[in-house]
């Protein structure tokens, strides 16, 4: 069964829009290295805490996430990109919360 891995990122004030763009760039870059997770990005500006960004990935198993990232990190230029990408991500958020859901077809 597939897994829906979700993360709600709490962006710093005013960073939700740039965070969405940051994820889109990251997804595009990962696709060039063969990582083709089904991904959806959502924003919530009007309920709960503001400046939240939800990112959802569908994978066959949680091990796939680690394996795919490890495979990409073996490529020097990809590792350099991701290192900078994660550093920028950390500067845009205060924290994130994660959930893993088994998809019941």
């Amino acid at each position: 069964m597939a897994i829906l891995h979700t993360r709600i990122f709490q962006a710093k004030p005013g960073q939700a829009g740039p965070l969405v763009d940051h994820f889109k760039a990251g997804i595009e870059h990962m696709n060039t290295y063969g990582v083709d997770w089904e991904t959806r990005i959502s924003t919530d500006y009007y309920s709960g805490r503001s400046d939240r960004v939800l990112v959802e990935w569908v994978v066959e198993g949680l091990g796939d996430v680690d394996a795919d990232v490890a495979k990409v990190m073996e490529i020097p230029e990809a590792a350099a990109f991701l290192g900078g990408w994660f550093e920028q991500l950390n500067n845009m958020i205060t924290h994130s919360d994660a959930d893993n859901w088994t998809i019941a077809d």
Side-chain angles (χ1 to χ4, degrees):
M1 287 191 172
I3 300 292
L4 176 67
H5 175 69
T6 69
R7 282 196 179 263
I8 298 175
F9 294 88
Q10 181 62 56
K12 292 179 180 176
Q15 290 296 304
L19 184 58
V20 169
D21 294 338
H22 188 66
F23 272 105
K24 287 180 178 179
I27 292 163
E28 184 178 313
H29 201 82
M30 293 293 281
N31 286 343
T32 65
Y33 293 104
V35 177
D36 190 25
W37 303 327
E38 180 184 333
T39 304
R40 182 169 48 199
I41 302 171
S42 305
T43 58
D44 181 2
Y45 297 107
Y46 300 110
S47 63
R49 294 180 178 180
S50 61
D51 295 303
R52 292 186 304 166
V53 175
L54 168 69
V55 183
E56 300 175 315
W57 297 276
V58 176
V59 294
E60 286 304 310
L62 289 178
D64 293 347
V65 174
D66 292 336
D68 287 347
V69 170
K71 185 172 85 176
V72 170
M73 292 300 279
E74 292 176 1
I75 304 166
E77 60 272 10
F81 171 83
L82 285 176
W85 189 90
F86 279 113
E87 183 177 335
Q88 188 175 358
L89 172 68
N90 289 332
N91 290 330
M92 300 172 81
I93 66 171
T94 61
H95 66 277
S96 70
D97 296 305
D99 288 305
N100 297 293
W101 298 85
T102 300
I103 298 175
D105 291 324

